[in-house]
Amino acid sequence: GRFVQEGKATIRFHQPEQDICISKADPINLKALLSAVKLAHHGQEMTRAQVSTLTPATSSQVEPPRTKMTVTKRKDYPLPKSFPSSLVELRINHCTLNRIDTRILGLKHLKLLDMSHNNIRSLPETFGELICLADLNLSNNQLTEFPGKLFQSAVNNSLQSVDLSHNKLSRLPNQLCNCADLVSMKLDSNQLSGLPPSIGLLRKLRFLTATRNSITLLPASFLHLRLDTVDLFENPFLEDGPSTLMGKLRFPPLVEITARVVKKHRIHYTAEDLPQTLISYLEGGKRCLCGQLCFESFVRFLARLDLHRLAHTVTAVDSQGRTHAPLEAFLCSESCSAKYKKHPAGFWK
């Protein structure tokens, strides 16, 4: 073809996943080399190949594998060819993309993906195939939901920073809290009505911003965070008052007892094992202050949480300079309820 006549060719290996890019080659020698590669690929005798003796390339003639790529204009987006499989950092901005290119999901070495300032509306459920992804920036898009299945993959063990600010998210999946190494999370300017109930499981989280959302209450597990910086400015938090118990404990039904055991022992289940109604039930648990999950049998109360208790740097939540917010908490048993009743105020100091 035309590229071979120009001394250019790309040889792609499936195992290991690597590309060899050839340029500035002698067209005749290049044709002979490609013929030999084709014969070898089809298991034919190499005696038919006429390959001349090649002079070893110098280090200056060999280009190292491409590890970084930035695209800021739609006309530069690589439509006819694949992304280099060696990429570690990929930035695609201001290209008006409305979905994630499936070719990106094949970049097994990718650690940083920045697709901010596009028109992306949803993520593929196979997004978790990016097994090395540590830094994800999807800010300034049109995302309305974030798939929970994404966090049932290897991403749980790699993701350290996520920026979902300036989208249209109304909720986040609780599975996000499975990302044990997450350090930074930006959720500003969405439509979030609350934070994931199990956010307190993110023990390495140090930077959290969720300004200009629709958050009215913080989940009980928020207490377990130890942050360097927290910014929850301009959320319509409820007027918090004294801690007051609401509801009445009753003996948990059999389905709740079973659900507590499944969650306590982290028993794995899939959509093939359980009907969707039970999966939804298991994902809808409330976390008691003791750490136990409860589903139907619990008492609820609101309390005032001073954000300085869990963060070094706190931005006021409103223009009045308040640095406290209402926290919704749950008690799962008579034992927990009795402990709370004995020292209702001491817990919050």
Side-chain angles (χ1 to χ4, degrees):
R2 177 171 63 87
F3 289 107
V4 175
Q5 293 296 337
E6 295 175 357
K8 301 176 183 177
T10 299
I11 301 174
R12 170 157 292 178
F13 291 91
H14 292 290
Q15 189 64 35
E17 295 181 355
Q18 191 60 265
D19 292 346
I20 295 180
C21 299
I22 302 172
S23 62
K24 300 178 183 179
D26 179 272
I28 296 176
N29 289 336
L30 181 57
K31 286 181 181 179
L33 173 64
L34 294 178
S35 297
V37 171
K38 185 176 181 180
L39 289 172
H41 178 66
H42 292 289
Q44 299 180 14
E45 289 292 333
M46 294 290 291
T47 53
R48 294 172 51 189
Q50 297 179 358
V51 181
S52 61
T53 303
L54 299 178
T55 304
T58 63
S59 57
S60 61
Q61 293 175 313
V62 178
E63 294 185 11
R66 190 172 183 181
T67 59
K68 297 181 181 181
M69 184 176 185
T70 299
V71 182
T72 56
K73 296 180 181 178
R74 187 61 184 260
K75 66 181 182 65
D76 296 329
Y77 191 77
L79 287 175
K81 58 182 181 180
S82 299
F83 292 94
S85 60
S86 54
L87 283 181
V88 175
E89 298 182 8
L90 176 60
R91 295 174 175 86
I92 304 174
N93 316 115
H94 303 284
C95 291
T96 64
L97 300 179
N98 55 26
R99 63 182 179 85
I100 302 288
D101 193 328
T102 54
R103 294 177 299 170
I104 294 176
L105 305 182
L107 301 176
K108 303 303 182 183
H109 306 290
L110 198 65
K111 293 184 178 180
L112 182 149
L113 177 61
D114 180 353
M115 297 193 69
S116 59
H117 297 278
N118 282 287
N119 294 322
I120 299 169
R121 290 175 170 78
S122 62
L123 299 180
E125 291 186 348
T126 53
F127 196 78
E129 293 177 5
L130 296 172
I131 57 176
C132 292
L133 189 63
D135 191 336
L136 175 63
N137 187 348
L138 294 172
S139 63
N140 292 279
N141 277 285
Q142 303 293 320
L143 289 171
T144 56
E145 63 177 353
F146 213 54
K149 285 188 176 181
L150 169 62
F151 305 106
Q152 297 174 353
S153 63
V155 168
N156 286 354
N157 302 318
S158 63
L159 199 61
Q160 298 177 13
S161 175
V162 59
D163 188 346
L164 301 174
S165 56
H166 297 276
N167 277 283
K168 297 181 179 179
L169 296 166
S170 59
R171 62 177 295 274
L172 290 174
N174 202 39
Q175 294 96 321
L176 170 64
C177 304
N178 294 332
C179 296
D181 290 327
L182 196 62
V183 175
S184 175
M185 183 160 59
K186 297 180 180 179
L187 307 170
D188 309 282
S189 298
N190 277 280
Q191 301 165 11
L192 296 173
S193 58
L195 296 174
S198 299
I199 192 171
L201 296 177
L202 299 175
R203 300 301 171 86
K204 294 185 179 181
L205 191 66
R206 294 296 177 266
F207 303 93
L208 173 64
T209 62
T211 63
R212 298 177 179 86
N213 278 280
S214 301
I215 302 171
T216 56
L217 294 167
L218 297 177
S221 69
F222 201 86
L223 278 168
H224 302 301
L225 295 176
R226 293 296 177 265
L227 304 169
D228 290 334
T229 300
V230 61
D231 189 352
L232 302 174
F233 183 66
E234 281 195 9
N235 279 284
F237 286 116
L238 297 178
E239 290 294 329
D240 49 4
S243 305
T244 305
L245 293 177
M246 291 168 281
K248 186 176 181 180
L249 279 170
R250 60 189 180 88
F251 192 81
L254 181 59
V255 64
E256 176 163 6
I257 294 174
T258 305
R260 289 187 182 188
V261 172
V262 169
K263 287 296 187 178
K264 181 178 180 180
H265 296 285
R266 299 181 180 181
I267 299 174
H268 179 70
Y269 57 86
T270 67
E272 296 179 355
D273 304 319
L274 299 173
Q276 186 57 46
T277 51
L278 286 181
I279 292 178
S280 299
Y281 186 89
L282 286 164
E283 299 303 326
K286 315 293 185 183
R287 195 168 293 277
C288 174
L289 293 177
C290 71
Q292 173 79 286
L293 277 174
C294 45
F295 298 84
E296 300 176 51
S297 179
F298 57 80
V299 289
R300 170 178 174 264
F301 67 97
L302 304 183
R304 174 182 295 187
L305 173 63
D306 183 353
L307 296 174
H308 285 288
R309 286 190 52 189
L310 47 84
H312 295 298
T313 302
V314 177
T315 300
V317 299
D318 58 20
S319 58
Q320 305 301 315
R322 287 194 308 163
T323 56
H324 58 266
L327 179 138
E328 181 182 38
F330 302 89
L331 300 170
C332 69
S333 65
E334 291 291 351
S335 174
C336 291
S337 180
K339 289 180 181 179
Y340 175 77
K341 289 177 180 177
K342 188 174 181 181
H343 299 289
F347 181 83
W348 308 106
K349 291 181 179 178

